[in-house]
Amino acid sequence: MTFLPEDERLMRRALELAARGPAGANPRVGAVIADPHGRILGEGWHHGAGTPHAEPTAIADAARRGEDLRGARMLVTLEPCNHTGRTGPCSEAVVEAGLGSLVYAAPDRTPQARGGAEALRHAGLEVTAGLLEAESERLNRRWSLRMSEGRPFVTAKLATSLDYAMAAADGSSQWITSEESRRHAQSLRRRVDAILVGTGTVLADNPRLTAREDDGDDAVRQPLRVAVGLREVPAGAAIRGEDGRFRHVRTRDPREALRVLAAEGAEHVMLEGGPQLLGAFLDAGLVDETWHYLAPMLIPGGRAASARTAAASLSDADRMVLESVERIGPDVLLRSQTLDSPDRGGPASPAPPAQDPTAHEK
């Protein structure tokens, strides 16, 4: 295992780029291409499902700069994939670019994607592994856990007052957060494969759960609209729609709901509400990240955003890693990932290094 003097600096830059990508069904990956003197020729990161991966993005960036990549060195935070999904194999893109060597931090352990390093070696590239592997693994710890469990990645979206109320005592909740926050949340709806609500929320609020573009039109790609629970969904409920994208998962067990959705091909699901559904997923340790929109108001006696089993002491609290803080109109969006805990499927993980809170938005 041989690394050049500049490799650690360049890999840390690749990790910074990776952290800009969204958590979700795909790992966060960053890539940097450099000449033998350590001068950066191109860089990129994965912007989310369906978009080019970090490696071809860095190659395209170098092409825009007019750089010659023949014999150059790429540093990437995850082993390049070797399969065709929504995009082509990154291993092929690296070979076609004429790069001479590649260093990656962590191996890709997913059966359908691994093998990129071997393919690159067969093509004549010098490939070295393991530089800052722990940092890369920590960045994608929730993705790795989701892959090992064979379930979708779960994002819980909350919209509350400062005192954590999602509705007033009479149930009114339109609108706690601003129009800007509601429009911003559509970016998450457009990205996920399924949006989940409890049947109680369906009966109380009659939500549509469609994904919309910034101009208010329905997005071309619509997620599954899923009602979870044992109560019947009325024939005329808005969630049913007319496009065949409605599912009623008749269970109160969050793990069973995720098994059903995984069988449907869902890799990333969003919890929209209500408090019973969110509480059940949190109690089961099945929430991987939260998008929490906080509005600058207080609602005395308001309804809590989740119905949880009470924590006996502070040691029973769910610890989170704050990923970013963003001002959305008059509101604030906190994006956090949950830490693994010994009683919920894995060892406790240390928090990653502090990052620029606006990095995800660059």
Side-chain angles (χ1 to χ4, degrees):
M1 185 180 298
T2 304
F3 300 118
L4 300 180
E6 291 295 313
D7 281 351
E8 181 172 340
R9 174 182 66 83
L10 294 168
M11 185 64 81
R12 290 198 182 280
R13 174 58 179 166
L15 286 166
E16 291 175 3
L17 295 169
R20 297 181 184 180
N26 299 98
R28 291 188 282 186
V29 183
V32 170
I33 305 173
D35 67 14
H37 305 290
R39 182 175 69 89
I40 293 178
L41 307 177
E43 57 185 26
W45 68 94
H46 188 211
H47 290 256
T51 64
H53 289 188
E55 298 93 327
T57 300
I59 292 168
D61 181 48
R64 284 191 295 270
R65 301 185 191 194
E67 300 287 1
D68 183 357
L69 298 186
R70 286 175 296 181
R73 188 173 182 85
M74 175 178 282
L75 296 97
V76 60
T77 59
L78 186 69
E79 177 186 3
C81 69
N82 195 43
H83 84 302
T84 299
R86 296 187 190 181
T87 59
C90 291
S91 56
E92 290 185 6
V94 170
V95 172
E96 291 172 0
L99 296 169
S101 61
L102 181 140
V103 178
Y104 68 88
D108 191 333
R109 298 184 176 88
T110 56
Q112 72 273 22
R114 64 190 178 193
E118 183 179 357
L120 292 174
R121 291 190 181 101
H122 281 310
L125 275 78
E126 177 188 350
V127 179
T128 312
L131 179 61
L132 302 183
E133 179 178 354
E135 287 85 342
S136 178
E137 295 278 13
R138 185 163 60 238
L139 185 67
N140 288 306
R141 63 192 179 279
R142 297 304 305 177
W143 173 78
S144 298
L145 179 61
R146 194 273 296 179
M147 291 301 298
S148 68
E149 293 179 351
R151 62 167 178 82
F153 188 92
V154 178
T155 300
K157 175 250 177 183
L158 302 86
T160 75
S161 59
L162 293 177
D163 48 358
Y164 203 60
M166 49 76 69
D170 64 357
S172 59
S173 61
Q174 296 184 346
W175 297 100
I176 290 177
T177 53
S178 64
E179 181 180 349
E180 293 94 329
S181 288
R182 298 193 298 276
R183 185 166 56 247
H184 186 274
Q186 290 295 327
S187 65
L188 178 59
R189 285 193 178 190
R190 292 193 296 267
R191 205 172 82 215
V192 300
D193 300 307
I195 303 176
L196 280 62
V197 293
T199 50
T201 296
V202 172
L203 297 174
D205 297 340
N206 195 29
R208 289 178 59 210
L209 297 190
T210 52
R212 296 184 292 280
E213 301 290 353
D214 290 339
D215 60 8
D217 290 342
D218 284 350
V220 174
R221 178 183 178 272
Q222 288 292 327
L224 287 174
R225 302 180 300 276
V226 182
V228 180
L230 303 180
R231 285 182 281 188
E232 291 297 327
V233 176
I239 192 176
R240 289 186 176 274
E242 298 179 352
D243 58 1
R245 302 290 292 165
F246 167 70
R247 301 289 186 274
H248 184 182
V249 181
R250 298 175 184 273
T251 183
R252 290 175 178 166
D253 180 354
R255 293 188 185 278
E256 176 61 22
L258 292 181
R259 280 194 290 269
V260 170
L261 294 173
E264 291 258 6
E267 296 184 343
H268 188 180
V269 305
M270 170 186 177
L271 304 181
E272 182 74 23
Q276 297 295 333
L277 182 76
L278 177 57
F281 272 80
L282 286 168
D283 282 343
L286 292 174
V287 172
D288 297 304
E289 69 166 355
T290 60
W291 285 35
H292 190 172
Y293 294 88
L294 275 168
M297 70 168 66
L298 299 173
I299 307 177
R303 298 183 180 182
S306 68
R308 299 293 309 277
T309 300
S313 69
L314 197 58
S315 62
D316 296 323
D318 297 326
R319 298 292 181 178
M320 311 288 288
V321 175
L322 184 62
E323 294 281 315
S324 66
V325 180
E326 183 180 357
R327 182 76 176 264
I328 308 289
D331 307 324
V332 173
L333 169 61
L334 306 178
R335 296 189 197 178
S336 302
Q337 285 199 35
T338 53
L339 281 172
D340 310 333
S341 62
D343 59 340
R344 293 191 177 185
S349 301
Q355 300 169 358
D356 174 3
T358 64
H360 286 51
E361 313 311 321
K362 293 179 182 176

